[in-house]
Amino acid sequence: MTALKIVVVVPDLDVQDQNDDHAISQAERSRALRIGLLESGFNLIASLPADVFLAERIHQLQPDLIIVDAESEARDALEHVVFATRDARRPIVLFTDDSDTTHVRDAVAVGVSAYIVDGLSSARIRPILDVAMARFEYEERLRDERDDARNALQERTLVDRAKALLMERQGLSEKDAFTKLRKIAMDKGLKMGEVAQRTLDMAALIS
């Protein structure tokens, strides 16, 4: 965990009005989060604003985990982070003092691995990130298994269609049609689905 490269997405921490207790509190809790990460030995590589340049900066930094430190603007910050990670998924942890958790379901749906309310104590940071990483890795395995199953089903469908075509056009039995497709795949170093798709495409061209 300590070797993970972490980026924290934070609101504007420049307190313009020293009498603005809310802004001061927000700045203090954001500093507390970053200090907690450093004290826990994490590799905090950058603190970034949630702006239109976030995607470019994340692409350049290639962090392993993203922490969103937000309060009332949590939804806007999340939108920026989700957009920035749409092509390369990463675990996202949201820390907030906002007790309104009506957006938790939406946050999880868009890829937030942990939604933490009032959880900035240093002692809590490591277990929170451990759980977030474990959940992200579990969901990625499920995603991969789903994609593998979907691809396998698509390949079987293509192979069945190609077999039916060979049986009809060349008078082959189902077994011989499958054997022919498999031999072509082995000879050409292709997957069965690729051979089946090429067979169907060729038939469509000459029909």
Side-chain angles (χ1 to χ4, degrees):
M1 281 289 294
T2 54
L4 292 178
K5 295 187 296 182
I6 297 176
V7 161
V8 177
V9 178
V10 297
D12 184 3
L13 301 179
D14 185 15
V15 180
Q16 302 292 335
D17 182 1
Q18 295 303 316
N19 294 319
D20 187 341
D21 293 337
H22 175 76
I24 293 173
S25 174
Q26 179 73 1
E28 289 177 348
R29 63 179 296 278
S30 182
R31 281 192 291 271
L33 169 61
R34 287 174 287 167
I35 291 172
L37 288 167
L38 295 173
E39 288 179 342
S40 299
F42 290 108
N43 183 16
L44 176 58
I45 60 174
S47 295
L48 305 175
D51 57 21
V52 294
F53 302 107
L54 183 62
E56 180 180 350
R57 294 185 179 116
I58 287 178
H59 177 72
Q60 292 172 344
L61 294 169
Q62 292 295 307
D64 300 306
L65 183 145
I66 298 173
I67 294 176
V68 180
D69 175 26
E71 194 171 1
S72 59
E73 64 274 26
R75 172 173 288 186
D76 292 337
L78 276 178
E79 287 179 356
H80 282 292
V81 172
V82 170
F83 176 80
T85 59
R86 69 192 188 283
D87 296 326
R89 287 173 47 82
R90 294 176 173 86
I92 301 170
V93 178
L94 173 66
F95 283 96
T96 178
D97 276 344
D98 189 352
S99 59
D100 181 6
T101 59
T102 56
H103 303 308
V104 171
R105 188 184 299 274
D106 293 337
V108 172
V110 298
V112 172
S113 302
Y115 190 110
I116 311 301
V117 177
D118 192 23
L120 285 177
S121 64
S122 297
R124 292 189 64 194
I125 290 177
R126 178 173 294 277
I128 286 171
L129 298 192
D130 282 339
V131 170
M133 284 298 301
R135 175 176 179 175
F136 176 79
E137 291 169 357
Y138 173 72
E139 290 178 345
E140 286 299 287
R141 286 197 299 272
L142 291 181
R143 184 185 297 270
D144 290 342
E145 290 172 1
R146 181 202 63 194
D147 291 344
D148 289 345
R150 180 180 297 159
N151 292 336
L153 178 59
Q154 291 175 343
E155 182 173 283
R156 284 197 300 271
T157 301
L158 287 173
V159 170
D160 286 343
R161 290 175 57 199
K163 284 192 305 182
L165 178 67
L166 292 177
M167 292 165 65
E168 176 187 351
R169 299 284 180 89
Q170 299 183 14
L172 299 177
S173 67
E174 181 177 1
K175 180 180 178 181
D176 289 340
F178 180 82
T179 300
K180 183 169 185 175
L181 292 172
R182 184 173 60 185
K183 184 178 186 304
I184 295 173
M186 294 176 64
D187 290 344
K188 300 293 186 180
L190 299 172
K191 295 181 179 179
M192 286 285 287
E194 293 174 319
V195 173
Q197 184 65 66
R198 292 186 182 188
T199 301
L200 295 169
D201 291 343
M202 184 61 69
L205 286 174
I206 64 177
S207 60

